[in-house]
Each structure stands twice: as structure tokens, then as C-alpha cells.
Amino acid sequence: MTITIQRTYTKGEITEGHVTIDGQRICDTLENSFSLLAPGTYEIELQKCKQYARKMIIVKTDNSPLNSNLSPLTPHSSPLQMCSDCPRQRLVYSNTKLPRVCPQLKPGNGIHNRHDGSILVGTRGSLGCIVHPREAFNTIFERIRKNVERGREVTLEII
């Protein structure tokens, strides 16, 4: 299964786009322009996140300390050990930024001051705002989960 993110608009720290899965448009995306993933193909994995206490959609990237919050992250195929090193925060909700750069597809409605590599999914409400993020996230999560259970490879392509 291939998930494609087509970036369509960038202004300041806001980058908008939309998600298609195997050619079918699913939802819109919102990213912080200062912590974008570089265009390319990435592996997707479902991994339990300590912050959200549930399985999340993790994008496999090179998580070396050489990556700063102001440079694009690059594709890398090594296994992740991110969640084991991430310090647990006391109060976490969908708009909480993570303590480390951890690219994920996740729900949320705003990207201001979020430099953790997140790709927020939902329906575009206005410039820089996503509405109905949980519905979009659950749709994508279930499709990925079913493909992983069937032994299929799931990749993310960013254009």
C-alpha cells in the first residue's frame, strides 16, 4: 500500500497538502514548514508511543542528532528505537508537541511551534487549521493496520 502526501501550499510555517491512498483522496494534511520531511519514500510502521499510550503511525527516518529542527529530515531504513528513549510527559493531548523529533501521521488541529516532524491529518477548515482530525486519523490507521496484518508493505511517498 502506498500513502501519498502531495504538498499543495506553503506560507510561513504552514505547509498544507492532501493524502491519497492508492489513488483515492482520503484527507488533508498540515505540517510545520520548519520541520518538514524531505520529499521521498519512507517506510511506515505502527508502534506504541509512550506519549499517547497507544499505537501511532510512525514514519521511519534517520533520527540522528545531526538533524536540526530547521533542516528537512531525510529517508532512512534503519529500525526505530525512538519511543524507548523519549521521556514521558505528564499531560498529553493531540496538540502536544513531542519532546523529540518523531515524525508521525497523527491527529491535531494546529502546527504553530510544533517542531517534532508531525504530519497532522484531517479536513482543511481554513488556512493553517485542520478540523475532524480523529476521523481522518482513524480511517488511515485502520487501513494501515489491516495491510500490516496481511503482511503487506506500507510506504509513504511525499511529493
Side-chain angles (χ1 to χ4, degrees):
M1 179 173 91
T2 301
I3 301 169
T4 304
I5 295 180
Q6 174 73 44
R7 294 181 177 143
T8 57
Y9 180 77
T10 299
K11 181 177 182 181
E13 71 176 339
I14 298 167
T15 299
E16 295 181 341
H18 53 266
V19 174
T20 57
I21 297 178
D22 296 331
Q24 179 184 7
R25 187 170 173 168
I26 303 297
C27 63
D28 298 308
T29 64
L30 189 62
E31 300 173 76
N32 188 310
S33 299
F34 301 117
S35 61
L36 290 175
L37 291 171
T41 302
Y42 300 85
E43 290 183 48
I44 293 286
E45 138 178 322
L46 297 178
Q47 185 178 18
K48 185 159 183 176
C49 177
K50 279 170 62 175
Q51 301 302 324
Y52 296 106
R54 65 161 289 174
K55 283 192 174 183
M56 296 297 286
I57 304 168
I58 308 289
V59 180
K60 289 186 176 185
T61 60
D62 180 11
N63 205 29
S64 68
L66 299 176
N67 287 334
S68 71
N69 290 338
L70 300 176
S71 65
L73 301 174
T74 57
H76 191 64
S77 61
S78 67
L80 295 177
Q81 296 297 323
M82 293 187 288
C83 289
S84 61
D85 300 331
C86 196
R88 176 84 168 111
Q89 295 179 334
R90 293 186 58 131
L91 178 62
V92 177
Y93 53 97
S94 53
N95 282 329
T96 301
K97 65 180 182 175
L98 296 177
R100 296 185 52 194
V101 173
C102 180
Q104 299 179 6
L105 270 74
K106 63 182 179 181
N109 59 11
I111 49 83
H112 299 291
N113 295 323
R114 185 187 296 255
H115 297 284
D116 56 6
S118 302
I119 302 171
L120 304 182
V121 295
T123 304
R124 184 183 189 273
S126 63
L127 179 64
C129 182
I130 293 282
V131 296
H132 308 297
R134 294 262 180 218
E135 292 87 355
F137 176 78
N138 289 338
T139 300
I140 294 170
F141 184 86
E142 283 304 310
R143 290 187 72 172
I144 292 172
R145 185 186 61 78
K146 287 177 183 176
N147 277 280
V148 168
E149 284 178 359
R150 293 175 183 150
R152 298 181 184 151
E153 183 178 300
V154 180
T155 59
L156 172 68
E157 181 182 5
I158 298 178
I159 302 171

